[in-house]
Amino acid sequence: MRKSTQEELRRISIDEFKSSEKTPLVVVLENIRSLNNIGSIFRTSDAFRVEKICLCGITACPPHRDIHKTALGATESVDWEYYESCHQAINTLKNEGYFIISAEQCPESVMLHEFKLPNSKKTAVIFGNEVNGVEDETLNLSDICVEIPQFGTKHSLNISVSVGIILWELTKKLKIQ
């Protein structure tokens, strides 16, 4: 066995990425504190070719050296927008026909593996603050809450890990199955 070469990976340029068809997913970040998490989420969003990222509230925007450190250039490929509040982003996305998912542990949550996408394939997923999660008011504006099943003692994942798991599962449902 060997590692794939750069040529075998078939990496596309930023221009090719910009003009390519995107996965009909939008990532919404609500009050994310860690610049490294933000950069990591840009990199993961590039990998799954999401439409864009909505940065809300205290979530920092590129360019920033700490975001760049983990994004590895993905801030150049993935489109992003800033909103003063997550509620503004949700209202805009709903007006554009997006189905709104909050990634949160709630009594009403649907487990990620059991979640069925609605007929409208345009989907936005909200990820909340590293300590407090998705705000209650934001949950009330969401169409559904989705939860990643966990079996350990913490029932807590780093946000960048949660984004990767959820984007993978939704991409499978949209593109692969």
Side-chain angles (χ1 to χ4, degrees):
M1 199 172 304
R2 65 176 177 80
K3 292 186 219 176
S4 297
T5 65
Q6 293 294 323
E7 294 78 31
E8 290 170 328
L9 292 174
R10 297 185 312 265
R11 291 186 178 161
I12 60 176
S13 70
I14 290 173
D15 289 336
E16 290 169 315
F17 183 97
K18 292 281 192 187
S19 64
S20 68
E21 183 179 347
K22 306 294 184 293
T23 307
L25 291 171
V26 172
V27 172
V28 181
L29 302 180
E30 181 179 51
N31 297 319
I32 305 305
R33 299 176 312 159
S34 166
L35 300 171
N36 291 322
N37 281 338
I38 296 165
S40 179
I41 293 164
F42 265 94
R43 191 167 161 192
T44 300
S45 295
D46 175 278
F48 291 107
R49 213 181 283 188
V50 302
E51 288 180 16
K52 66 182 173 185
I53 299 175
C54 296
L55 306 167
C56 306
I58 66 165
T59 308
C61 299
H64 191 285
R65 138 182 95 96
D66 288 334
I67 293 173
H68 180 72
K69 180 169 65 175
T70 50
L72 295 180
T75 56
E76 302 302 318
S77 57
V78 179
D79 289 339
W80 60 272
E81 299 172 348
Y82 175 77
Y83 293 87
E84 279 190 36
S85 74
C86 192
H87 313 126
Q88 291 171 332
I90 291 170
N91 288 334
T92 299
L93 291 164
K94 280 191 173 194
N95 287 336
E96 295 173 1
Y98 283 85
F99 182 77
I100 309 297
I101 300 171
S102 278
E104 189 56 83
Q105 297 166 324
C106 301
E108 305 85 8
S109 292
V110 175
M111 291 298 159
L112 181 60
H113 65 285
E114 296 172 347
F115 171 68
K116 305 269 191 259
L117 278 167
N119 288 337
S120 163
K121 289 193 172 190
K122 290 170 60 169
T123 305
V125 188
I126 302 164
F127 297 91
N129 177 273
E130 293 94 334
V131 174
N132 300 314
V134 177
E135 292 180 5
D136 290 341
E137 190 176 337
T138 301
L139 292 174
N140 290 328
L141 294 172
S142 302
D143 296 308
I144 195 168
C145 286
V146 172
E147 182 175 338
I148 300 168
Q150 298 175 50
F151 310 103
T153 61
K154 301 301 177 200
H155 287 270
S156 173
L157 294 167
N158 179 281
I159 182 175
S160 64
V161 172
S162 295
V163 170
I165 292 168
I166 289 175
L167 290 183
W168 167 242
E169 188 66 26
L170 293 178
T171 299
K172 284 192 319 185
K173 291 176 189 301
L174 287 164
K175 288 189 167 191
I176 299 173
Q177 295 177 344

